[in-house]
Amino acid sequence: MDFVDYYSTLGIKKTSTTDEIKKAYRKLARKHHPDVNPNDKESNKKFQQINEANEVLSDPDKRKKYDQYGKDWKHADQFANSGQAGRSAGGRGFGGQDFGGYTYASGEDSGFSDFFESLFGGARRSRQQAAYRGQDYNAELHLTLSDVYTTKKQTLTINGKNVRITIPAGVENGQVIKLKNYGSPGANGGPNGDLFITFMIKNDTSFRRDGNDLYKDEELDLYTAVLGGDKTIETLNGKIKLKVNAETQNGHKVRLKGKGFPVYKQEGVFGDLYVTWNIKLPINLTNKQKELFTELSKL
């Protein structure tokens, strides 16, 4: 039978405080709990080792005995016969405990090692089981810019269960939302974890998005730019007709208020659309057209 290093089991130092022991135990218990790893024998074995280490190190009496006699466990009965802590009327027992909101329940079968049984009298001890919060889940949801222009509902499959969520219009690429209690189930009465969804939004449009504003380049023929007129353009909400002023310059930008992208969780509120005119010069001119341009150049 080998010596068991409980400090190493919890990944702490021999000088660790009670709070540091609790913190280390809870972190490892969440990771290796059988409810989280139902078919993982190695993880379940690790969970028993963690519980055993915590049973000893979280109890001042047992920790003192372990520190003094752990490596010399064959002679530990000298400590017990001395009438010191752990067996006096006022000593701590092995029943349920309450550590900072974590409730521990007693059971019949300890599952402890031979080393533990030898050092602490061979009695069947209770195994402490912590009530702890379930693990969080993280997922990516891939959508297009057109998808998130309007509020929509979508069904996700989480652990074999269909969950219907509402995706508000205006969600941004990389934005993360939290669905409370949709993570891993808690154990021993603990709350469920949460589900965090990261939105990955692909631009499937001719617009450039910057926050709630949209930007678009539009070609404008030379004649309309010089003389003025109307130009019909596409928006994400349908076609609109714009008035083009005479003598419009190349690169001129027009702001269309309220024609941009919806503002996240603000119903009916939109950003702006900015249209930049790219004036297209005519090609394949006829002789007559060239003559007219020549005459214009002389005026």
Side-chain angles (χ1 to χ4, degrees), residues 8-27:
S8 177
T9 299
L10 294 183
I12 57 177
K13 299 179 180 178
K14 192 172 182 179
T15 55
S16 295
T17 65
T18 300
D19 286 341
E20 289 172 336
I21 292 170
K22 294 175 187 176
K23 183 177 180 180
Y25 168 68
R26 291 171 182 171
K27 180 179 179 181

Side-chain angles (χ1 to χ4, degrees), residues 128-148:
Q128 299 173 329
Q129 292 185 331
Y132 67 93
R133 181 177 175 274
Q135 293 180 328
D136 293 331
Y137 289 155
N138 292 279
E140 289 184 355
L141 183 56
H142 293 258
L143 300 168
T144 66
L145 195 63
S146 299
D147 288 332
V148 296

Side-chain angles (χ1 to χ4, degrees), residues 103-118:
T103 303
Y104 297 81
S106 299
E108 292 297 325
D109 187 1
S110 69
F112 292 145
S113 68
D114 290 341
F115 170 79
F116 178 94
E117 300 292 348
S118 177

